[in-house]
Amino acid sequence: MQPHVNPLRVAVLGGGPAGLMAAWRLRQAGLDVTLFEQESELGGMCATQRFTGQDGNYRFDYGGHRFITKNPELLAFVDELMGDDLLHAERKSVIRFGGRTYDYPLNLGNLLRTAPLALMAGALKDLVLLPFAKKPADFAKASFAQWIQAHFGRTLYRQFFEGYTGKLWGIDPARLSADWAGQRISLIDLKDVARRLLPTRKGAHSVRTYARKYRYPRLGFGQIYTRLGERLLEEGVTIHTLARITGLSQENQRITGVQWEQEGESKCSQFDWVISTLPLPLTCRHLGIACELEYRSLRFVNMPLLQENLSDNTWQYLSDPHILATRLQEPRRRSPFMAPHGKSSVMLEIPCNAGDETWSAPLSALRSKVTADLASLGVDTARLGQETFEARSEYAYPLMDLGYQARRDRAIQALMPIGNLIMTGRQGTFRYIFTDTAMEMGLMAADMVIDGVDRRHAIFNHRNENTVIETQSVA
Ligand SMILES: Cc1cc2nc3c(=O)[nH]c(=O)nc-3n(C[C@H](O)[C@H](O)[C@H](O)COP(=O)(O)OP(=O)(O)OC[C@H]3O[C@@H](n4cnc5c(N)ncnc54)[C@H](O)[C@@H]3O)c2cc1C
């Protein structure tokens, strides 16, 4: 592609982390930037919502977030932006399953103390037999079920992964790509679980593990992005909120018009470049390009808790298939300012597909079900406040079912000829990535506009599925 000289006007579609960072870099380079966001607030899936209950203000993320990154410059940027408002926190998580509570990541000492004898016997047998078991010829093409059984054995797969994964994704783990396991779970296998039992330097200290420490803003994760939005306004970026992109016009392999709707009014604007952080299938649809990719959605049910603490866990993973939610969290564990003094709150993440029974269920019915589930987990539900607050995320997880990579590649290839369109961020690339990676992708998209060097393949491959995303955080 020819370097683009003097790009004047750039449209950034979507005001999540990727779009905001792209707008920031573009504006620093002196370009004329207009950002469109369909919601009233910036931050995308990283936004924090406020809820005023009878005891005061509660704040909830779309599923509790943590800021972790391997990129010291990005951390310095966020540090400078947030100043004293960026707190340090430490992760502690458990798995609740079959009436028992296990440490997560799994470790053998805890398993020995907690697990039923039959489970331990099965796991130990797997540990001995695993080196001799038949492995998938190509892990890149394997299913999640094959991947986990090759790394953890059949017993732990059946106990800890099968039910949880089926519930989270809404499909049989045998139909889910191993990519998800490769990114989220790959740094720990059954040998690591076993090594944790060893007291020597060769044992526990050499075990690879997930990032424990993380950063979290005082007033919720979204504070990073509302503050970044304020900076952008100060710097002269035009930001349209409650502005939904409804179409894109194309001529001679260039985007010639961006159609958008605000307060019931339809408008159309022209730009030299378009950076889209909208979901890949949505951008494709606006351009008449076929794209067979789907998302898993989430509903969040949030309730006040009339006591200071439920537990000291950052997350409780709820593995039992009959329990509706996949995770239980207390926002207060991330920052004490997420609930009124002396009170806490609980948040339940409920996976579903947009439009299905769970997505459409009345909030009162959902609350009754999750309250019964909480009681079955030993929570004193009499301590729950009467108010219920909810949120939804239609595009929560890119559905990484078997063969999704080829379908994603076809969509990407079909968009490539459009020279002034750059897809970026988690939604724009249909990638299961964390916030820091989405922010980096936003910067890469802006750099392409600024210097004309085509970075679109690099954006799609940035920290790709072979990279473990949770380790080695400098935060
Ligand atoms: C449950 C859950 C927990 C997570 N936890 C963590 C965590 O702990 N740490 C972490 O780093 N990451 C976490 N993530 C991932 C993180 O949320 C994403 O990586 C990040 O939000 C991606 O940013 P983005 O800008 O690419 O996309 P988004 O945040 O989705 O932003 C896209 C934006 O585009 C807007 N948009 C969409 N369609 C239109 C339209 N037609 N017109 C106008 N605007 C539109 C959306 O409203 C949104 O604001 C989590 C994600 C989920 C679902």
Side-chain angles (χ1 to χ4, degrees):
M1 198 171 66
Q2 291 299 309
H4 197 98
V5 185
N6 292 332
L8 295 175
R9 294 153 303 154
V10 187
V12 177
L13 314 186
L20 291 168
M21 284 308 279
W24 170 257
R25 173 71 50 94
L26 291 165
R27 193 61 204 136
Q28 293 299 297
L31 304 190
D32 179 351
V33 188
T34 306
L35 184 140
F36 298 90
E37 169 53 51
Q38 65 183 357
E39 302 294 337
S40 56
E41 298 221 15
L42 299 171
M45 283 198 308
C46 294
T48 297
Q49 305 147 84
R50 289 178 299 278
F51 161 45
T52 303
Q54 58 188 24
D55 292 309
N57 291 328
Y58 295 85
R59 291 168 191 274
F60 299 96
D61 297 344
Y62 288 92
H65 278 58
R66 301 168 298 150
F67 189 77
I68 51 175
T69 181
K70 297 175 191 169
N71 179 339
E73 282 112 51
L74 188 64
L75 180 61
F77 176 84
V78 174
D79 251 339
E80 189 279 318
L81 185 69
M82 302 306 292
D84 291 343
D85 283 335
L86 202 57
L87 311 178
H88 290 254
E90 202 158 323
R91 164 188 174 145
K92 179 178 173 301
S93 302
V94 293
I95 300 178
R96 308 286 304 269
F97 183 59
R100 295 168 199 253
T101 303
Y102 301 88
D103 286 351
Y104 183 76
L106 297 173
N107 76 77
L108 200 55
N110 172 262
L111 274 176
L112 281 173
R113 284 192 300 278
T114 316
L117 215 58
L119 190 155
M120 280 315 299
L124 288 174
K125 191 172 133 213
D126 290 348
L127 182 63
V128 174
L129 296 181
L130 213 54
F132 312 102
K134 193 168 175 283
K135 304 252 180 335
D138 181 359
F139 272 115
K141 292 194 182 129
S143 73
F144 176 86
Q146 289 171 314
W147 195 101
I148 293 288
Q149 290 183 68
H151 287 78
F152 286 86
R154 189 172 162 74
T155 310
L156 293 187
Y157 168 70
R158 295 297 292 268
Q159 288 291 324
F160 292 109
F161 295 99
E162 190 178 29
Y164 180 84
T165 308
K167 181 163 72 166
L168 176 61
W169 292 99
I171 60 172
D172 185 331
R175 283 185 47 221
L176 189 67
S177 159
D179 276 359
W180 187 59
Q183 265 203 339
R184 296 301 300 256
I185 309 168
S186 70
L187 66 168
I188 295 170
D189 62 14
L190 191 53
K191 279 185 266 111
D192 288 317
V193 173
R195 262 186 238 127
R196 279 160 194 279
L197 193 65
L198 304 175
T200 63
R201 261 187 300 132
K202 276 186 145 181
H205 297 301
S206 64
V207 173
R208 298 162 298 165
T209 192
Y210 298 101
R212 289 184 68 87
K213 292 189 179 356
Y214 63 94
R215 299 292 180 90
Y216 193 83
R218 214 164 57 87
L219 298 179
F221 203 75
Q223 198 183 0
I224 299 175
Y225 304 99
T226 45
R227 188 152 304 167
L228 185 49
E230 286 159 15
R231 283 272 177 97
L232 293 179
L233 285 174
E234 284 162 21
E235 298 286 333
V237 171
T238 304
I239 298 182
H240 296 295
T241 50
L242 292 172
R244 195 167 63 87
I245 302 300
T246 53
L248 296 169
S249 339
Q250 188 197 160
E251 219 173 279
N252 298 328
Q253 302 194 324
R254 293 187 64 76
I255 303 285
T256 49
V258 173
Q259 283 100 46
W260 51 293
E261 247 174 40
Q262 200 180 34
E263 293 172 354
E265 212 182 309
S266 299
K267 309 179 187 196
C268 182
S269 311
Q270 268 86 44
F271 297 93
D272 298 300
W273 285 87
V274 175
I275 294 179
S276 175
T277 72
L278 271 41
L280 180 58
L282 202 63
T283 305
C284 284
R285 198 185 321 145
H286 287 324
L287 290 162
I289 291 170
C291 178
E292 301 154 75
L293 297 168
E294 290 171 39
Y295 283 81
R296 185 74 167 152
S297 309
L298 282 175
R299 265 183 95 170
F300 305 94
V301 174
N302 308 311
M303 294 176 278
L305 187 68
L306 309 176
Q307 62 193 46
E308 203 161 359
N309 266 340
L310 183 65
S311 78
D312 60 353
N313 293 306
T314 315
W315 274 301
Q316 299 195 38
Y317 291 89
L318 309 178
S319 275
D320 295 281
H322 66 271
I323 288 180
L324 197 58
T326 38
R327 291 199 293 198
L328 162 62
Q329 304 167 46
E330 264 181 282
R332 202 188 171 82
R333 295 279 70 75
R334 289 171 163 74
S335 159
F337 301 96
M338 300 296 279
H341 185 67
K343 303 280 185 301
S344 188
S345 60
V346 292
M347 170 202 279
L348 291 129
E349 283 180 28
I350 303 172
C352 52
N353 291 331
D356 75 5
E357 206 184 321
T358 306
W359 178 265
S360 317
L363 183 56
S364 55
L366 224 47
R367 175 170 168 132
S368 302
K369 169 69 179 132
V370 298
T371 305
D373 287 346
L374 287 174
S376 78
L377 292 165
V379 174
D380 177 4
T381 52
R383 306 297 296 159
L384 291 173
Q386 292 306 308
E387 297 132 326
T388 321
F389 177 70
E390 77 149 326
R392 290 165 200 248
S393 186
E394 183 174 347
Y395 299 101
Y397 296 114
L399 182 62
M400 299 156 86
D401 55 343
L402 282 176
Y404 85 97
Q405 299 98 327
R407 282 178 269 132
R408 183 179 60 186
D409 288 350
R410 278 200 295 278
I412 294 168
Q413 286 315 321
L415 290 173
M416 281 296 168
I418 307 173
N420 65 342
L421 172 67
I422 310 171
M423 301 296 300
T424 197
R426 169 158 161 148
Q427 313 293 14
T429 58
F430 199 79
R431 295 263 317 279
Y432 190 120
I433 52 162
F434 273 19
T435 310
D436 61 320
T437 308
M439 292 168 86
E440 289 168 346
M441 283 180 172
L443 294 174
M444 291 166 82
D447 286 341
M448 176 170 164
V449 174
I450 294 163
D451 64 16
V453 175
D454 193 341
R455 288 180 177 78
R456 290 177 297 173
H457 285 290
I459 292 171
F460 278 104
N461 286 318
H462 185 54
R463 300 198 197 283
N464 66 21
E465 275 75 17
N466 299 321
T467 317
V468 173
I469 55 179
E470 282 210 48
T471 47
Q472 295 163 8
S473 169
V474 293

